[in-house]
Each structure stands twice: as C-alpha cells, then as structure tokens.
Amino acid sequence: DTGVSQNPRHKITKRGQNVTFRCDPISEHNRLYWYRQTLGQGPEFLTYFQNEAQLEKSRLLSDRFSAERPKGSFSTLEIQRTEQGDSAMYLCASSPSQSGTYNEQFFGPGTRLTVL
Amino acid sequence: QKEVEQNSGPLSVPEGAIASLNCTYSDRGSQSFFWYRQYSGKSPELIMSIYSNGDKEDGRFTAQLNKASQYVSLLIRDSQPSDSATYLCAVNDDDSWGKLQFGAGTQVVVTP
C-alpha cells in the first residue's frame, strides 16, 4: 500500500499522560500536514512541514502539542499532559511540492484518541 | 475569521437522482478548492479538485466554481447507496499554502 499510513489507529489514555502518534507520508511527497477532527466538524489544521522544516503551526495549538519530522520522511505528533478536550481523530495528510495552484492533500486513516 | 460554509444536511436523495451540494467561502484570495468524501468513522478521501471558474467533470461527479460569487458546488449524478457519506468542502488559505480550511460537511443519504 503506497498511501499515507498512521500509527496507532486507536489510542486510549488517561488524562495527564503523554501520547505520540506517527505518520508516514506517500513516499514522493515532501509536504506533510497534521489536522484534528472532532465529531460533526471538518478537519482543523494543526501544522505542516515541507521536508524537515515546520513551516506553520496553528495559533490555536496549545504548547502541549509538538510535531517533528526530523529526516523529512515520517513525522510524529506528541501531546503532553493530555486533557479530555484532546479527544479527537488526528489526521495526517501529504502532498507533493507546490505546483502552480495545486495543493492536493491525501489523508491517512487517522489516529482516534480517547482521553479518559 | 476565514470561513467555509456548507449545509449540514442530511440531504436525502433517491437512488439514481442528482445530489447537489453547495459551499461558500469567505477568503476572496483562495485559489484551490477541493471536495472530500468521508464515510462514517473513516478519513477524508479526495474526490475532486477545481482551480478555474466553470465546471469540471470526473465520472459521475461535477464540480462547479464561481470565484466572483465565492461559491463552489458538487453534483453527484446517478446517485448510488454507496455515495451515502459526508462531503467536505475545503479551500486553500490564501495566506498559507499549507493550510486547507474545511467546512463542517454535508451528510448525503441515498435512499434505494
């Protein structure tokens, strides 16, 4: 399968614990994005990378959230001191380099986080 | 506050009929527009991209874009029960090439 992959698919944790998610983009894509989606809402942008550089981070994102893409391939998203409000589907997407006006993003299956 | 607005639905469509979904956006500088299909409990799947005013057809799907009216729509012809899903409209953020702004989605239910 050459699509975007995410692990784990499901994570249940207790409030206050740290969690880390991994995303492997489509191999030839150098842009990688993280979104969060709650029930009944569209995905909400969190951050994105071009290669290993983190180019933008949402102003809505708490300091408890951090993302890395150290070698420009896979990425990790860490949430420290989780809160019940962090419960959501965390989506990763990738796209090829910007070409003209195109920015087609392809999503992975997501990681569903439940904070008890 | 940049916004992407969609009717939440549900939009009930008889099998074989045309489903018409609408989306308006507030960022006048947006250049790229996308429709994603999302089945319950699954991630969004890209089904259409459109960048120029007018119509773009792909199989049973037609996307229509009117930048002057800040309006993009999706038509699904010959609707099938497998088209029952939530359809998300996404618009690129003019200030940030990385960011897509999503609407909350329109739920479509195709009835046999």
Side-chain angles (χ1 to χ4, degrees), chain B:
Chain B
Q1 177 85 12
K2 298 176 182 178
E3 295 181 343
V4 178
E5 300 285 345
Q6 297 181 252
N7 292 326
S8 61
L11 177 65
S12 183
V13 180
E15 185 174 356
I18 296 174
S20 178
L21 290 75
N22 303 318
C23 172
T24 59
Y25 59 94
S26 63
D27 186 357
R28 186 169 291 277
S30 295
Q31 298 292 327
S32 305
F33 307 86
F34 308 92
W35 285 98
Y36 286 83
R37 178 175 62 197
Q38 187 171 29
Y39 293 113
S40 180
K42 303 297 185 182
S43 64
E45 174 191 9
L46 180 65
I47 56 172
M48 288 289 286
S49 308
I50 188 166
Y51 315 104
S52 303
N53 281 328
D55 295 358
K56 179 182 177 183
E57 184 174 321
D58 184 359
R60 295 186 296 109
F61 298 103
T62 299
Q64 299 172 318
L65 175 61
N66 183 327
K67 291 184 181 179
S69 299
Q70 295 175 240
Y71 173 92
V72 59
S73 66
L74 179 71
L75 300 177
I76 307 173
R77 291 183 301 281
D78 188 23
S79 295
Q80 301 297 309
S82 60
D83 295 326
S84 297
T86 296
Y87 290 80
L88 298 164
C89 174
V91 176
N92 88 289
D93 187 306
D94 188 41
D95 294 331
S96 164
W97 269 108
K99 182 188 300 182
L100 290 182
Q101 297 273 358
F102 282 85
T106 297
Q107 184 185 5
V108 173
V109 178
V110 180
T111 55

Side-chain angles (χ1 to χ4, degrees), chain A:
Chain A
D1 189 335
T2 57
V4 178
S5 63
Q6 293 187 245
N7 287 288
R9 297 289 303 277
H10 302 274
K11 179 70 177 179
I12 299 174
T13 191
K14 293 182 179 179
R15 187 176 54 187
Q17 298 296 305
N18 300 343
V19 294
T20 300
F21 309 142
R22 174 176 170 134
C23 172
D24 288 86
I26 294 170
S27 59
E28 63 269 25
H29 287 181
N30 62 0
R31 287 192 164 210
L32 185 149
Y33 312 83
W34 286 99
Y35 291 85
R36 175 174 62 189
Q37 186 177 25
T38 54
L39 194 64
Q41 300 299 316
E44 174 188 28
F45 172 80
L46 295 178
T47 188
Y48 89 96
F49 294 83
Q50 178 153 321
N51 300 314
E52 65 276 9
Q54 187 173 19
L55 297 187
E56 186 171 351
K57 183 175 177 180
S58 170
R59 289 189 291 273
L60 301 175
L61 207 58
S62 158
D63 289 343
R64 298 183 295 105
F65 288 71
S66 62
E68 294 183 339
R69 195 183 182 196
K71 298 182 179 179
S73 56
F74 72 91
S75 175
T76 57
L77 176 69
E78 181 183 18
I79 308 174
Q80 296 182 328
R81 304 180 304 281
T82 53
E83 302 172 356
Q84 288 184 326
D86 297 330
S87 296
M89 175 79 88
Y90 289 82
L91 295 163
C92 177
S94 70
S95 71
S97 296
Q98 177 183 332
S99 174
T101 59
Y102 300 163
N103 184 28
E104 292 184 338
Q105 298 184 19
F106 299 90
F107 283 87
T111 295
R112 182 167 298 282
L113 172 66
T114 301
V115 181
L116 302 177

